[in-house]
Amino acid sequence: MRPAVDFESAQDLPALYKLLDEVQVKNGWAKAKPAIVPEPRHPFVGHRWRYADTRAALHVAGRLVGTEWAERRNLIMANPHPGNDYATVPTIVGAYQMVKAGETARSHRHTPNAMRVVLDAAPGTYTVVEGMKVPMEPGDVLLTPNWCWHGHANESDSDAYWIDFLDAPLAIGIGPVFFQHYPDVNEPSDGIDATSPMRFAFADYAAKAAAAPEVAPGVRQHLLGPVTLTTFDRVAIAMAAGTHWEPVRSSINQIYTVVQGAGRSRIGGKEFDWQRGDMIAAPCWLEQQHDASEDAILLRVSDEPLMRMLGWVVVGQP
C-alpha cells in the first residue's frame, strides 16, 4: 500500500501538518485546544431569563405565529455563549411555551425525553400523553418520556404558559434524534387522569419539600418520583426567607425554575435577581450561591441520573 501523499517530503512540522490536512488527520501532540483537561472546561455560563420578558414576547407571538404552521409556539433559552443557538446547559434545553385559549398543539413524538413546569394555566388546560388528558395547573410538573405521543389542549378562556425541558442537546450530540407527527394531527383522548403518574401536582410536592430534612440551614429538598426519565431528574428545593445556600460544585448540569418566591443567585461569577417563573442556568463545575429574599420553591432539573449511570459525578468544594 502506498500513502496518498508523500509524507517523506516533509522537512519540518508545518509541512507535515499541511500533509496531514490533505488526508483529514489531526496531530495528537500539538492540539490547538486540548480535549482531555484537568477539570471541566466548556463555554456555558450562568444565566437568568426573566419570565416577564418571555411571557410578553409569547403574547405577541400569539398574534404572529399560528399553530397550523409552527410545531410549537415556544422560545428557546439558548445559553449566551458565542456560536450557541439552542442548548441551555450542555445536555438540556429549556423553552417557554404558550398555547392560546381554545387552541390545540398538534400531537407528535420524539426520542428526546421531555418535561413541563406549568407557570400560568386555567382549568381546562391539558397535556395529552398516550391518549389521556393530564391536567396542567400552576406549579405542576408533567413528564413525557421519550417516544410517547403527546400534544396539548387549552379548553379554557385564558392563554396558558409553561416551561419545557428536553434532553435534546444530548440526543443531538450523540446522534439518535427521531421525530414523527401523529397521523391524524391530534391524538384522540379517552379521558382525564388527574392522578397520572406523569403528573406531580404543586400542592403535593411543595408540602413534601417543606417537610423534608434540611440539607443546609433553611434548605430542604424533595425528589419528584418515582417515575423517572433516564437522563434527567427533578428536585423541589424549599428555601426559607433569608436563607443563604452554597451547593457543592459538581460535574452535574443544572437548570432552576422559580416556582415561588424571590431571591438572588451568583453562578460562575455572574449575579442576578430572580422571581416567580424565571429560569436559571447552572452549568457543570461553576460555583453557585443562592439567597432567598422570600420563602421560595425552586424546581431543579439536572442530568445527575445520566452522570451517575456513566460514573461521571464528581464534586468539589462549595
Side-chain angles (χ1 to χ4, degrees):
M1 296 177 62
R2 300 183 61 182
V5 296
D6 182 10
F7 287 107
E8 291 296 333
S9 67
Q11 299 302 308
D12 52 30
L13 283 175
L16 177 58
Y17 296 155
K18 184 176 180 180
L19 293 173
L20 287 172
D21 286 341
E22 292 187 28
V23 293
Q24 288 75 53
V25 173
K26 298 298 180 183
N27 78 81
W29 56 82
K31 296 185 293 293
K33 183 182 293 186
I36 308 299
V37 292
E39 61 181 28
R41 184 191 62 195
H42 56 75
F44 287 78
V45 299
H47 193 74
R48 177 229 51 210
W49 293 269
R50 299 175 68 243
Y51 179 39
D53 297 331
T54 56
R55 179 177 172 129
L58 284 170
H59 180 72
V60 174
R63 290 193 285 107
L64 304 176
V65 181
T67 56
E68 70 276 3
W69 62 271
E71 188 64 33
R72 294 289 187 260
R73 186 190 294 108
N74 58 12
L75 297 173
I76 305 298
M77 301 302 103
N79 194 280
H81 69 78
N84 180 51
D85 62 1
Y86 188 58
T88 305
V89 294
T91 55
I92 304 170
V93 61
Y96 288 83
Q97 182 173 172
M98 185 261 271
V99 175
K100 295 171 66 175
E103 192 175 59
T104 59
R106 67 185 301 176
S107 299
H108 64 211
R109 64 180 181 177
H110 40 66
T111 44
N113 293 290
M115 189 188 94
R116 333 275 167 206
V117 181
V118 184
L119 300 177
D120 290 300
T125 305
Y126 306 98
T127 186
V128 182
V129 182
E130 294 291 282
M132 187 63 65
K133 288 182 177 178
V134 183
M136 303 181 80
E137 298 180 3
D140 285 1
V141 174
L142 303 104
L143 307 185
T144 308
N146 73 307
W147 215 237
C148 287
W149 291 113
H150 60 281
H152 310 297
N154 185 352
E155 299 171 4
S156 77
D157 57 3
S158 300
D159 296 343
Y161 299 82
W162 63 80
I163 292 175
D164 296 319
F165 291 109
L166 296 91
D167 57 8
L170 172 67
I172 292 168
I174 297 175
V177 177
F178 295 90
F179 173 91
Q180 288 182 354
H181 285 120
Y182 190 76
D184 296 324
V185 182
N186 291 110
E187 181 186 15
S189 54
D190 297 326
I192 299 171
D193 187 1
T195 61
S196 168
M198 299 299 170
R199 179 189 183 216
F200 302 94
F202 172 71
D204 180 52
Y205 76 73
K208 290 179 179 178
E214 287 188 333
V215 296
V219 181
R220 304 172 188 274
Q221 295 185 357
H222 170 65
L223 174 66
L224 278 63
V227 173
T228 61
L229 303 177
T230 307
T231 53
F232 62 92
D233 62 10
R234 64 229 66 87
V235 175
I237 301 168
M239 296 183 65
T243 295
H244 175 77
W245 177 41
E246 296 187 26
V248 294
R249 188 171 59 155
S250 79
S251 57
I252 298 165
N253 292 291
Q254 303 168 67
I255 306 175
Y256 297 93
T257 298
V258 184
V259 181
Q260 178 179 290
R264 184 172 182 81
S265 291
R266 178 185 178 90
I267 297 178
K270 298 184 66 175
E271 294 188 17
F272 30 75
D273 295 324
W274 43 261
Q275 59 186 343
R276 177 184 172 272
D278 290 355
M279 187 192 303
I280 304 165
C284 76
W285 214 243
L286 298 185
E287 296 87 354
Q288 299 183 38
Q289 297 180 22
H290 306 282
D291 292 275
S293 56
E294 304 173 2
D295 288 347
I297 295 179
L298 306 179
L299 196 287
R300 188 199 74 180
V301 177
S302 83
D303 60 10
E304 183 172 355
L306 172 69
M307 295 300 169
R308 289 202 178 280
M309 180 175 63
L310 297 173
W312 291 347
V313 174
V314 178
V315 297
Q317 296 299 313

